[in-house]
């Protein structure tokens, strides 16, 4: 499962939130879970220009390649849902 976080995210903070921690621990008991902070937010390097949705879909592919994940189930909420949908449509 590749989890595309919402517009504003921080993986370190996600683990501190009881709801998300329980969700990720439950999912990890059934599937391999990969999650990432999108370009420019959270733990990722800061940027000056806001990336387009198309550029964010390229980031999804880069994360998949780095994780060695060929065909993950994509899960996303808020902007992450839009990115996941666009990625599957391309």
């Amino acid at each position: 499962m590749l989890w595309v976080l919402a517009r504003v995210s921080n993986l370190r903070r996600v683990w501190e939130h009881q709801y998300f921690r329980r969700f990720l621990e439950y999912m990890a008991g059934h599937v391999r879970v990969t999650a990432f902070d999108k370009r420019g937010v959270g733990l990722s390097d800061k940027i000056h220009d806001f990336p387009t949705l198309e550029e964010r879909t390229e980031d999804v592919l880069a994360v998949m390649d780095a994780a060695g994940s060929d065909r993950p189930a994509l899960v996303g909420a808020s902007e992450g849902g839009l990115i996941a949908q666009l990625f599957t449509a391309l």
Side-chain angles (χ1 to χ4, degrees), residues 19 24-25 46 57 60 69 84:
Y19 170 78
L24 290 173
E25 288 173 344
K46 301 304 175 212
T57 61
V60 170
S69 186

Side-chain angles (χ1 to χ4, degrees), residues 11-90:
L11 282 176
R12 184 174 295 142
R13 296 284 185 203
V14 166
W15 282 104
E16 294 172 0
H17 192 281
Q18 179 182 355
Y19 170 78
F20 288 116
R21 175 185 290 273
R22 285 193 348 236
F23 168 73
L24 290 173
E25 288 173 344
Y26 174 81
M27 293 306 295
H30 301 283
V31 297
R32 177 181 170 200
V33 177
T34 304
F36 66 101
D37 279 326
K38 292 188 296 301
R39 186 188 314 194
V41 297
L43 301 175
S44 70
D45 293 337
K46 301 304 175 212
I47 57 172
H48 299 291
D49 296 321
F50 192 76
T52 65
L53 285 175
E54 290 78 10
E55 289 171 322
R56 292 208 185 270
T57 61
E58 293 170 6
D59 293 345
V60 170
L61 184 58
V63 169
M64 286 174 52
D65 288 345
S69 186
D70 295 331
R71 295 182 60 182
L74 292 176
V75 176
S78 184
E79 184 194 45
L82 293 173
I83 295 166
Q85 289 175 29
L86 181 59
F87 181 83
T88 59
L90 295 177

